[in-house]
């Protein structure tokens, strides 16, 4: 009779301790962890920028001068951080304090709907606000603006 070779596969154990002692298997950092680190860094930078803005503006609205509070029931005095250059169109300026100013939630709604126009590009400098009367649809302005030009409001061109 002819001796046959064994057709069974010989199993070899992997010595994971030996691999770990020699630096392990280089796979790189998982993407989930990198994204988490970037998100935490971004949130910390944004919180720092908001702190600078809160101190600079003295927790007062730049639009009306009303005192603002972080968590308040009234939209007229709840604090919002508005960006001069929108976050979606100017991502490089999101954490730049010169791009952020304080306003109330009510004022923020009018700013985002373009019923209030902003003149100025640096929040560290003077910002001028004026009503866009065309966006108010013939209604009178709901509140007085703190800083405005002497020429007052104008209809949108």
């Amino acid at each position: 009779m002819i001796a046959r070779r064994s057709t069974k596969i010989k199993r070899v154990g992997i010595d994971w301790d030996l691999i770990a002692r020699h630096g392990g298997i280089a796979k790189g950092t998982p993407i989930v962890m990198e994204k988490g680190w970037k998100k935490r860094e971004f949130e910390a930078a944004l919180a720092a920028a908001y702190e600078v803005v809160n101190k600079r503006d003295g927790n007062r609205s730049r639009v009306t001068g009303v005192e603002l509070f972080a968590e308040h029931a009234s939209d007229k005095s709840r604090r919002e951080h508005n960006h001069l250059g929108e976050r979606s169109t100017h991502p490089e300026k999101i954490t730049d304090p010169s791009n952020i100013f304080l306003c109330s939630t009510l004022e923020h709604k009018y700013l985002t709907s373009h019923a209030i126009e902003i003149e100025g590009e640096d929040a560290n400098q003077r910002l001028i606000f004026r009503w866009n009367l065309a966006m108010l649809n013939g209604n009178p302005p709901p509140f007085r603006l703190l800083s405005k030009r002497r020429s007052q409001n104008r209809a949108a061109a």
Side-chain angles (χ1 to χ4, degrees), residues 136-156:
L136 294 177
N137 298 325
N139 296 324
F143 50 84
R144 286 187 56 141
L145 301 177
L146 178 65
S147 84
K148 55 190 172 192
R149 289 198 175 278
R150 287 181 173 51
S151 61
Q152 293 295 103
N153 304 313
R154 64 173 177 79

PDB file of all heavy atoms in Angstrom, residues 136-156:
ATOM      1  N   LEU A 136     -40.378  93.287   5.626  1.00  0.00           N
ATOM      2  CA  LEU A 136     -41.399  93.395   6.670  1.00  0.00           C
ATOM      3  C   LEU A 136     -42.813  93.422   6.100  1.00  0.00           C
ATOM      4  O   LEU A 136     -43.782  93.445   6.860  1.00  0.00           O
ATOM      5  CB  LEU A 136     -41.154  94.647   7.520  1.00  0.00           C
ATOM      6  CG  LEU A 136     -39.874  94.643   8.345  1.00  0.00           C
ATOM      7  CD1 LEU A 136     -39.712  95.959   9.073  1.00  0.00           C
ATOM      8  CD2 LEU A 136     -39.859  93.485   9.312  1.00  0.00           C
ATOM      9  N   ASN A 137     -42.952  93.454   4.779  1.00  0.00           N
ATOM     10  CA  ASN A 137     -44.251  93.407   4.095  1.00  0.00           C
ATOM     11  C   ASN A 137     -45.211  94.500   4.562  1.00  0.00           C
ATOM     12  O   ASN A 137     -46.382  94.244   4.830  1.00  0.00           O
ATOM     13  CB  ASN A 137     -44.907  92.030   4.266  1.00  0.00           C
ATOM     14  CG  ASN A 137     -44.073  90.932   3.648  1.00  0.00           C
ATOM     15  OD1 ASN A 137     -43.437  91.135   2.613  1.00  0.00           O
ATOM     16  ND2 ASN A 137     -44.046  89.780   4.281  1.00  0.00           N
ATOM     17  N   GLY A 138     -44.696  95.713   4.704  1.00  0.00           N
ATOM     18  CA  GLY A 138     -45.535  96.846   5.077  1.00  0.00           C
ATOM     19  C   GLY A 138     -45.817  96.970   6.564  1.00  0.00           C
ATOM     20  O   GLY A 138     -46.452  97.933   6.982  1.00  0.00           O
ATOM     21  N   ASN A 139     -45.382  96.027   7.364  1.00  0.00           N
ATOM     22  CA  ASN A 139     -45.585  96.107   8.815  1.00  0.00           C
ATOM     23  C   ASN A 139     -44.540  97.033   9.430  1.00  0.00           C
ATOM     24  O   ASN A 139     -43.433  97.150   8.921  1.00  0.00           O
ATOM     25  CB  ASN A 139     -45.464  94.720   9.451  1.00  0.00           C
ATOM     26  CG  ASN A 139     -46.540  93.786   8.973  1.00  0.00           C
ATOM     27  OD1 ASN A 139     -47.671  94.201   8.744  1.00  0.00           O
ATOM     28  ND2 ASN A 139     -46.194  92.521   8.799  1.00  0.00           N
ATOM     29  N   PRO A 140     -44.876  97.676  10.545  1.00  0.00           N
ATOM     30  CA  PRO A 140     -43.875  98.523  11.203  1.00  0.00           C
ATOM     31  C   PRO A 140     -42.801  97.645  11.859  1.00  0.00           C
ATOM     32  O   PRO A 140     -43.068  96.492  12.221  1.00  0.00           O
ATOM     33  CB  PRO A 140     -44.686  99.275  12.257  1.00  0.00           C
ATOM     34  CG  PRO A 140     -45.869  98.414  12.511  1.00  0.00           C
ATOM     35  CD  PRO A 140     -46.166  97.710  11.225  1.00  0.00           C
ATOM     36  N   PRO A 141     -41.588  98.152  12.018  1.00  0.00           N
ATOM     37  CA  PRO A 141     -40.539  97.372  12.686  1.00  0.00           C
ATOM     38  C   PRO A 141     -40.974  96.997  14.104  1.00  0.00           C
ATOM     39  O   PRO A 141     -41.539  97.818  14.825  1.00  0.00           O
ATOM     40  CB  PRO A 141     -39.344  98.333  12.717  1.00  0.00           C
ATOM     41  CG  PRO A 141     -39.606  99.291  11.612  1.00  0.00           C
ATOM     42  CD  PRO A 141     -41.091  99.432  11.535  1.00  0.00           C
ATOM     43  N   PRO A 142     -40.742  95.756  14.526  1.00  0.00           N
ATOM     44  CA  PRO A 142     -41.216  95.302  15.836  1.00  0.00           C
ATOM     45  C   PRO A 142     -40.436  95.853  17.032  1.00  0.00           C
ATOM     46  O   PRO A 142     -40.931  95.821  18.151  1.00  0.00           O
ATOM     47  CB  PRO A 142     -41.077  93.785  15.760  1.00  0.00           C
ATOM     48  CG  PRO A 142     -40.123  93.533  14.662  1.00  0.00           C
ATOM     49  CD  PRO A 142     -40.188  94.681  13.733  1.00  0.00           C
ATOM     50  N   PHE A 143     -39.217  96.352  16.805  1.00  0.00           N
ATOM     51  CA  PHE A 143     -38.430  96.937  17.895  1.00  0.00           C
ATOM     52  C   PHE A 143     -37.429  97.915  17.315  1.00  0.00           C
ATOM     53  O   PHE A 143     -37.184  97.945  16.118  1.00  0.00           O
ATOM     54  CB  PHE A 143     -37.729  95.860  18.736  1.00  0.00           C
ATOM     55  CG  PHE A 143     -36.952  94.856  17.926  1.00  0.00           C
ATOM     56  CD1 PHE A 143     -35.659  95.114  17.501  1.00  0.00           C
ATOM     57  CD2 PHE A 143     -37.516  93.630  17.604  1.00  0.00           C
ATOM     58  CE1 PHE A 143     -34.949  94.184  16.761  1.00  0.00           C
ATOM     59  CE2 PHE A 143     -36.816  92.686  16.868  1.00  0.00           C
ATOM     60  CZ  PHE A 143     -35.525  92.957  16.443  1.00  0.00           C
ATOM     61  N   ARG A 144     -36.866  98.757  18.210  1.00  0.00           N
ATOM     62  CA  ARG A 144     -35.894  99.765  17.792  1.00  0.00           C
ATOM     63  C   ARG A 144     -34.510  99.155  17.735  1.00  0.00           C
ATOM     64  O   ARG A 144     -34.125  98.355  18.589  1.00  0.00           O
ATOM     65  CB  ARG A 144     -35.876 100.926  18.769  1.00  0.00           C
ATOM     66  CG  ARG A 144     -37.086 101.825  18.648  1.00  0.00           C
ATOM     67  CD  ARG A 144     -36.907 103.017  19.523  1.00  0.00           C
ATOM     68  NE  ARG A 144     -35.644 103.684  19.140  1.00  0.00           N
ATOM     69  CZ  ARG A 144     -35.480 104.981  19.085  1.00  0.00           C
ATOM     70  NH1 ARG A 144     -36.463 105.765  19.388  1.00  0.00           N
ATOM     71  NH2 ARG A 144     -34.323 105.497  18.758  1.00  0.00           N
ATOM     72  N   LEU A 145     -33.736  99.565  16.761  1.00  0.00           N
ATOM     73  CA  LEU A 145     -32.348  99.108  16.618  1.00  0.00           C
ATOM     74  C   LEU A 145     -31.427 100.062  17.359  1.00  0.00           C
ATOM     75  O   LEU A 145     -31.651 101.282  17.373  1.00  0.00           O
ATOM     76  CB  LEU A 145     -31.968  99.041  15.144  1.00  0.00           C
ATOM     77  CG  LEU A 145     -32.829  98.106  14.291  1.00  0.00           C
ATOM     78  CD1 LEU A 145     -32.410  98.183  12.833  1.00  0.00           C
ATOM     79  CD2 LEU A 145     -32.749  96.684  14.790  1.00  0.00           C
ATOM     80  N   LEU A 146     -30.398  99.521  17.971  1.00  0.00           N
ATOM     81  CA  LEU A 146     -29.464 100.315  18.766  1.00  0.00           C
ATOM     82  C   LEU A 146     -28.575 101.177  17.881  1.00  0.00           C
ATOM     83  O   LEU A 146     -28.488 102.374  18.060  1.00  0.00           O
ATOM     84  CB  LEU A 146     -28.606  99.385  19.631  1.00  0.00           C
ATOM     85  CG  LEU A 146     -27.546 100.047  20.496  1.00  0.00           C
ATOM     86  CD1 LEU A 146     -28.218 100.913  21.556  1.00  0.00           C
ATOM     87  CD2 LEU A 146     -26.678  99.001  21.164  1.00  0.00           C
ATOM     88  N   SER A 147     -27.896 100.567  16.924  1.00  0.00           N
ATOM     89  CA  SER A 147     -26.968 101.339  16.094  1.00  0.00           C
ATOM     90  C   SER A 147     -27.484 101.351  14.673  1.00  0.00           C
ATOM     91  O   SER A 147     -27.753 100.314  14.086  1.00  0.00           O
ATOM     92  CB  SER A 147     -25.573 100.724  16.147  1.00  0.00           C
ATOM     93  OG  SER A 147     -25.441  99.684  15.239  1.00  0.00           O
ATOM     94  N   LYS A 148     -27.662 102.539  14.168  1.00  0.00           N
ATOM     95  CA  LYS A 148     -28.143 102.681  12.802  1.00  0.00           C
ATOM     96  C   LYS A 148     -27.621 103.979  12.225  1.00  0.00           C
ATOM     97  O   LYS A 148     -27.161 104.863  12.939  1.00  0.00           O
ATOM     98  CB  LYS A 148     -29.663 102.635  12.755  1.00  0.00           C
ATOM     99  CG  LYS A 148     -30.332 103.650  13.646  1.00  0.00           C
ATOM    100  CD  LYS A 148     -31.797 103.396  13.731  1.00  0.00           C
ATOM    101  CE  LYS A 148     -32.404 104.294  14.783  1.00  0.00           C
ATOM    102  NZ  LYS A 148     -33.735 103.927  15.118  1.00  0.00           N
ATOM    103  N   ARG A 149     -27.692 104.083  10.959  1.00  0.00           N
ATOM    104  CA  ARG A 149     -27.262 105.314  10.288  1.00  0.00           C
ATOM    105  C   ARG A 149     -28.324 106.385  10.468  1.00  0.00           C
ATOM    106  O   ARG A 149     -29.481 106.102  10.689  1.00  0.00           O
ATOM    107  CB  ARG A 149     -27.034 105.060   8.805  1.00  0.00           C
ATOM    108  CG  ARG A 149     -25.824 104.239   8.519  1.00  0.00           C
ATOM    109  CD  ARG A 149     -25.439 104.421   7.062  1.00  0.00           C
ATOM    110  NE  ARG A 149     -24.217 103.729   6.779  1.00  0.00           N
ATOM    111  CZ  ARG A 149     -23.009 104.216   7.034  1.00  0.00           C
ATOM    112  NH1 ARG A 149     -22.877 105.381   7.594  1.00  0.00           N
ATOM    113  NH2 ARG A 149     -21.934 103.529   6.745  1.00  0.00           N
ATOM    114  N   ARG A 150     -27.912 107.619  10.323  1.00  0.00           N
ATOM    115  CA  ARG A 150     -28.847 108.723  10.436  1.00  0.00           C
ATOM    116  C   ARG A 150     -29.896 108.679   9.328  1.00  0.00           C
ATOM    117  O   ARG A 150     -30.987 109.187   9.463  1.00  0.00           O
ATOM    118  CB  ARG A 150     -28.103 110.052  10.425  1.00  0.00           C
ATOM    119  CG  ARG A 150     -27.377 110.296  11.732  1.00  0.00           C
ATOM    120  CD  ARG A 150     -26.659 111.622  11.718  1.00  0.00           C
ATOM    121  NE  ARG A 150     -26.063 112.025  12.954  1.00  0.00           N
ATOM    122  CZ  ARG A 150     -25.253 111.334  13.715  1.00  0.00           C
ATOM    123  NH1 ARG A 150     -24.953 110.103  13.403  1.00  0.00           N
ATOM    124  NH2 ARG A 150     -24.738 111.811  14.811  1.00  0.00           N
ATOM    125  N   SER A 151     -29.539 108.087   8.197  1.00  0.00           N
ATOM    126  CA  SER A 151     -30.480 108.014   7.084  1.00  0.00           C
ATOM    127  C   SER A 151     -31.606 107.025   7.356  1.00  0.00           C
ATOM    128  O   SER A 151     -32.523 106.907   6.560  1.00  0.00           O
ATOM    129  CB  SER A 151     -29.740 107.612   5.804  1.00  0.00           C
ATOM    130  OG  SER A 151     -29.149 106.341   5.974  1.00  0.00           O
ATOM    131  N   GLN A 152     -31.516 106.308   8.519  1.00  0.00           N
ATOM    132  CA  GLN A 152     -32.521 105.359   8.942  1.00  0.00           C
ATOM    133  C   GLN A 152     -32.659 104.190   7.980  1.00  0.00           C
ATOM    134  O   GLN A 152     -31.691 103.747   7.394  1.00  0.00           O
ATOM    135  CB  GLN A 152     -33.875 106.050   9.149  1.00  0.00           C
ATOM    136  CG  GLN A 152     -33.914 107.014  10.301  1.00  0.00           C
ATOM    137  CD  GLN A 152     -33.728 106.326  11.623  1.00  0.00           C
ATOM    138  OE1 GLN A 152     -32.663 106.399  12.177  1.00  0.00           O
ATOM    139  NE2 GLN A 152     -34.733 105.691  12.132  1.00  0.00           N
ATOM    140  N   ASN A 153     -33.870 103.748   7.808  1.00  0.00           N
ATOM    141  CA  ASN A 153     -34.121 102.536   7.033  1.00  0.00           C
ATOM    142  C   ASN A 153     -34.353 102.872   5.578  1.00  0.00           C
ATOM    143  O   ASN A 153     -34.677 103.992   5.225  1.00  0.00           O
ATOM    144  CB  ASN A 153     -35.339 101.813   7.605  1.00  0.00           C
ATOM    145  CG  ASN A 153     -35.136 101.534   9.078  1.00  0.00           C
ATOM    146  OD1 ASN A 153     -34.093 101.063   9.467  1.00  0.00           O
ATOM    147  ND2 ASN A 153     -36.139 101.846   9.881  1.00  0.00           N
ATOM    148  N   ARG A 154     -34.218 101.869   4.766  1.00  0.00           N
ATOM    149  CA  ARG A 154     -34.465 102.071   3.344  1.00  0.00           C
ATOM    150  C   ARG A 154     -35.119 100.825   2.798  1.00  0.00           C
ATOM    151  O   ARG A 154     -34.995  99.750   3.354  1.00  0.00           O
ATOM    152  CB  ARG A 154     -33.172 102.347   2.588  1.00  0.00           C
ATOM    153  CG  ARG A 154     -32.201 101.185   2.616  1.00  0.00           C
ATOM    154  CD  ARG A 154     -31.013 101.456   1.698  1.00  0.00           C
ATOM    155  NE  ARG A 154     -30.052 100.382   1.771  1.00  0.00           N
ATOM    156  CZ  ARG A 154     -30.167  99.214   1.144  1.00  0.00           C
ATOM    157  NH1 ARG A 154     -31.205  98.965   0.397  1.00  0.00           N
ATOM    158  NH2 ARG A 154     -29.265  98.277   1.267  1.00  0.00           N
ATOM    159  N   ALA A 155     -35.838 101.013   1.713  1.00  0.00           N
ATOM    160  CA  ALA A 155     -36.442  99.851   1.058  1.00  0.00           C
ATOM    161  C   ALA A 155     -35.349  99.116   0.284  1.00  0.00           C
ATOM    162  O   ALA A 155     -34.401  99.738  -0.212  1.00  0.00           O
ATOM    163  CB  ALA A 155     -37.546 100.310   0.116  1.00  0.00           C
ATOM    164  N   ALA A 156     -35.452  97.817   0.200  1.00  0.00           N
ATOM    165  CA  ALA A 156     -34.448  97.031  -0.529  1.00  0.00           C
ATOM    166  C   ALA A 156     -34.537  97.353  -2.008  1.00  0.00           C
ATOM    167  O   ALA A 156     -35.616  97.550  -2.568  1.00  0.00           O
ATOM    168  CB  ALA A 156     -34.676  95.543  -0.294  1.00  0.00           C
TER     169      ALA A 156
END
